Structure formats: C-alpha cells, structure tokens
Amino acid sequence: AEGKNMAGEQIASVILSKEKNYVQSILLREAAVALDAVARNALSSSAIVAPLRRLQLPPPPPGPLAPLFAPVTLPLEIAKAILELQEIDAIDAKRIENVNVLTDLASKAVNREGRGSEEGSNGDGRIMNISGDREAIESLLRQTSLHRDNIARVGLRFGGEIVNAQIERLKKRGNKDAGGHEISELAERLAKDGASRLELVADALERVDQSYSR
C-alpha cells in the first residue's frame, strides 16, 4: 500500500505540476480531443438534432425573391452548416471507442472491488478493504491539498486544450486541401470564422496561465 501511495503521489506531482511538462500536456491534449469527440457524438445522435439532420432544405428562390425568404431559409442553412462541422470522422470514432473501453474497464474494476468488499464483510478481508479504501482517500485528499494552488492552473490549461482541439478541427474541416471533408460553402466560411475567433480565446487563456508565473 505504501508503494502504491508513493507512486500515486509521484503521478499527481507530474499531472498537477505548476509548470507545464510533456506528460501533463499529452494527458490534457488527449483528454480534450476525446471529450470533444464524445460531446459531438452525443449531440449528433440526440433526438433533437436527428430530425434537423434529415431535413431537406427547399430549393433557392429566384434571385429577386431571395431577400424575402432569407429570414426563413438562412437559419436553417446555418443550422445545417453547423451540423456539417460536427460530423464524426474515423479518428473521432476511434477516440470514442477508446473512451468506451476505458469506461468499461473502470466499471468492471469498481464492480470487482464491490464484490470483494461484500465477500470479506464477515472477516479480515473487510477490514483490509476498509483500510485500503481509507488510505487511498487520505492519499487523494493529501495530494489535492498539496497541489490545490495548481489545480486551477491545470484546469485552465485543460480549457485551453479544449479550445485548441476545436480550432484544429475547424481548420481541418474548412480546408479541403488539408484532408478536410466536403462541406458546403457556408460551412466552410463558418469553420474559418469560428477558428479565428477561438484563436483569440486560446491566446487569452494562455496569457492568463502565463500571468500566474510572474
């Protein structure tokens, strides 16, 4: 148990480090892109979005009448274009699969722990399980206390990685030459504009993170 606690403390010191490091950056990056994929997959398969995805836009009205129909057709066109940018590709599908595998493994581990606790409820096994659980909780609380000033910074960096994941995806979707999807002209414009605006957000988050170091 002592060795496990020491290993946990070392891992926590790296992940919750005040200064950026390679391991922390990789973990935050992978968590951000996985969260992005899972969230978009949930949105795409929701009962609200599915009918909109199947909705067929009416043919464009004659030129002189276009301004009259714009208040009706433009919101639908924008909604369809936004959905185009949320499409799940092969890389996203693999990330979602990895998340599902990890979730399943974690669920099985929790179930095994629960069964172990029940089996040892009438003997020394239960005492050992309670002791181990208490040590794990105490170790977690201790590490949280030691790194409490860094948690906000790590959370800020994670937010920055989520924004960067959005920027990267929008730039790729809006650039067919870079392997992007075939999307509508409106979706392409929205992708480029959205990436530019999110870059401002990413820069602001980076400046806030750097200001903590001063």
Side-chain angles (χ1 to χ4, degrees):
E2 183 178 353
K4 184 187 294 185
N5 290 339
M6 290 181 62
E9 291 173 2
Q10 291 176 351
I11 294 173
S13 66
V14 173
I15 297 177
L16 300 178
S17 171
K18 179 179 179 181
E19 303 300 331
K20 287 184 179 180
N21 60 71
Y22 179 75
V23 173
Q24 183 191 84
S25 298
I26 290 295
L27 289 175
L28 293 181
R29 158 72 182 171
E30 291 303 315
V33 294
L35 178 61
D36 175 59
V38 169
R40 286 187 291 111
N41 183 58
L43 175 65
S44 299
S45 58
S46 68
I48 298 177
V49 172
L52 180 59
R53 189 183 299 279
R54 295 191 299 267
L55 180 65
Q56 296 295 323
L57 294 176
L65 299 178
L68 297 177
F69 286 88
V72 176
T73 59
L74 185 57
L76 293 176
E77 291 175 359
I78 292 176
K80 296 278 284 185
I82 291 174
L83 290 179
E84 287 184 68
L85 300 178
Q86 309 303 317
E87 290 287 346
I88 300 297
D89 59 18
I91 296 177
D92 293 327
K94 184 61 178 178
R95 287 171 176 155
I96 294 170
E97 180 184 351
N98 292 339
V99 170
N100 290 336
V101 169
L102 292 175
T103 302
D104 185 55
L105 289 175
S107 177
K108 289 179 179 178
V110 171
N111 290 337
R112 282 197 300 270
E113 183 67 22
R115 287 196 298 269
S117 298
E118 291 175 1
E119 292 170 358
S121 60
N122 296 322
D124 294 339
R126 177 57 178 168
I127 297 174
M128 292 177 64
N129 285 329
I130 293 176
S131 176
D133 292 343
R134 184 174 64 249
E135 289 178 358
I137 293 172
E138 289 176 351
S139 177
L140 177 61
L141 292 175
R142 182 167 59 253
Q143 291 305 312
T144 302
S145 177
L146 289 173
H147 300 284
R148 62 181 179 275
D149 294 336
N150 299 343
I151 292 177
R153 293 191 66 179
V154 175
L156 185 66
R157 290 169 190 163
F158 181 56
E161 290 295 343
I162 292 177
V163 174
N164 286 328
Q166 299 279 335
I167 294 171
E168 180 181 330
R169 176 172 55 81
L170 290 175
K171 283 186 174 181
K172 184 177 180 181
R173 295 287 168 92
N175 186 0
K176 298 182 180 65
D177 296 333
H181 292 258
E182 289 292 333
I183 58 177
S184 65
E185 182 179 345
L186 178 58
E188 186 175 347
R189 292 204 306 269
L190 289 176
K192 293 178 179 179
D193 183 66
S196 297
R197 293 177 184 276
L198 286 174
E199 283 177 338
L200 298 177
V201 177
D203 289 341
L205 292 174
E206 181 66 23
R207 286 195 298 271
V208 173
D209 185 24
Q210 292 177 354
S211 68
Y212 280 108
S213 303
R214 298 171 184 172

